[in-house]
Amino acid sequence: MERNTAYAHLAKWFEYLNDDCDYENWSQYLILKLSAFPLATGLDIGCGGGWFTRAFQKHGYQMTGMDISPEMLDFAQEQAFKTGVRSEYILGDISARKLPKRFDFATAVNDCVNYIPKDKLNIAFKNVAAALKKGGVFLFDISSKRKFEEKIANTVSADDREDITYLAFNRVDGDKAVLDVTLFVKRADGAFERLDETHIQYIYTREEIETALKNNGFSVVRVEGHLGTDAETSDRICFLARKENVR
């Protein structure tokens, strides 16, 4: 069975299948964090289908969305066109390239950092710092180690709807999580087509992230759980960091 890379098939369904995560409240929380600083231009790393990119643009920031998946970027651009929100979108891997211009802030929301391999985290954060102006803000999250070990390891995730069925067979091996995803998508003729892809995520501790930030010119401003909850008990840890002016 041929398995495709992450989001080759899931891209067009991702926001639909995550309609229970309260994107609106989540984006307002992030905007509140950003509003504490004088910011105008932003880079949304791992923008996926562009939901947060569009939300930030609607709020008044001039946004650039960046993703490693061409399928995700195609969907993001389609949604931006449909909603009349004009942001720039670029294909790229933050752990592999520097950007030609600088921004006031960068975001990486909904597990983007968990997709960065351990041996590339420092170069990724170095490239984020290079993409920011002095004093620039970096706002991002990770899924917590506890979430991977207690809620993801050796489980099957499922979502069965009239037009699509989503299955993910999850396993954790050391500091790496492998999610084998199968989609059954309803075609126009009523039959279902099977599509398979694999997602690999990496488990990071709070200490690993903070060390990598400090090693690459950031000061850690705040660390908290999802939507401001306790970081020690939350499934998601949110980091707010700022690029040091001396760098």
Side-chain angles (χ1 to χ4, degrees):
M1 181 193 310
E2 180 181 355
R3 303 197 72 89
N4 288 273
T5 56
Y7 299 106
H9 302 302
L10 187 57
K12 66 182 292 186
W13 298 100
F14 185 76
E15 289 186 5
Y16 174 61
L17 290 168
N18 282 275
D19 57 6
D20 61 345
C21 74
D22 196 357
Y23 278 120
E24 184 63 37
N25 192 33
W26 195 351
S27 65
Q28 291 307 308
Y29 160 79
L30 296 170
I31 289 170
L32 179 63
K33 295 298 178 185
L34 294 172
S35 296
F37 305 91
L39 308 171
T41 60
L43 173 68
D44 190 15
I45 301 164
C47 67
W51 207 100
F52 293 105
T53 317
R54 297 192 300 275
F56 298 149
Q57 185 83 33
K58 290 176 184 177
H59 184 73
Y61 299 122
Q62 183 58 51
M63 296 300 302
T64 296
M66 177 182 183
D67 205 280
I68 196 173
S69 166
E71 294 85 3
M72 275 294 206
L73 283 182
D74 286 345
F75 181 82
Q77 290 174 319
E78 289 173 7
Q79 294 304 303
F81 180 78
K82 287 180 181 178
T83 56
V85 179
R86 295 293 179 263
S87 299
E88 179 185 9
Y89 291 95
I90 56 176
L91 180 67
D93 178 355
I94 195 62
S95 67
R97 62 172 289 191
K98 291 184 178 181
L99 299 179
K101 62 179 180 180
R102 292 190 173 188
F103 303 86
D104 295 324
F105 70 92
T107 56
V109 186
N110 200 4
D111 299 345
C112 171
V113 172
N114 289 107
Y115 280 93
I116 300 174
K118 293 271 184 163
D119 61 351
K120 295 184 177 180
L121 183 65
N122 272 293
I123 188 63
F125 282 4
K126 181 179 179 181
N127 287 344
V128 174
L132 292 175
K133 299 173 184 177
K134 290 182 178 180
V137 172
F138 185 23
L139 179 63
F140 65 98
D141 63 48
I142 60 170
S143 279
S144 67
K145 185 173 186 290
R146 185 183 64 83
K147 175 185 174 181
F148 279 109
E149 293 179 345
E150 298 182 10
K151 295 188 176 182
I152 293 180
N154 304 315
T155 64
V156 177
S157 304
D159 190 343
D160 186 25
R161 308 194 184 194
E162 183 177 345
D163 48 358
I164 185 172
T165 295
Y166 167 92
L167 297 170
F169 301 86
N170 312 317
R171 65 185 188 274
V172 171
D173 182 11
D175 61 7
K176 182 169 69 174
V178 180
L179 290 67
D180 287 322
V181 173
T182 294
L183 304 175
F184 293 95
V185 179
K186 191 174 185 179
R187 301 188 315 218
D189 62 3
F192 281 80
E193 179 181 8
R194 176 174 176 165
L195 304 168
D196 298 282
E197 60 186 52
T198 297
H199 295 240
I200 298 176
Q201 295 189 30
Y202 298 86
I203 303 172
Y204 287 102
T205 65
R206 172 175 174 174
E207 292 72 24
E208 285 179 293
I209 295 296
E210 291 186 347
T211 297
L213 286 169
K214 292 173 182 176
N215 286 345
N216 290 284
F218 288 99
S219 59
V220 178
V221 177
R222 189 170 180 82
V223 180
E224 58 191 26
H226 188 52
L227 305 183
T229 57
D230 182 7
E232 296 302 317
T233 58
S234 178
D235 287 346
R236 190 177 302 281
I237 305 174
C238 184
F239 297 83
L240 178 62
R242 198 168 191 184
K243 181 179 176 180
E244 296 286 359
N245 288 326
V246 296
R247 294 281 181 109

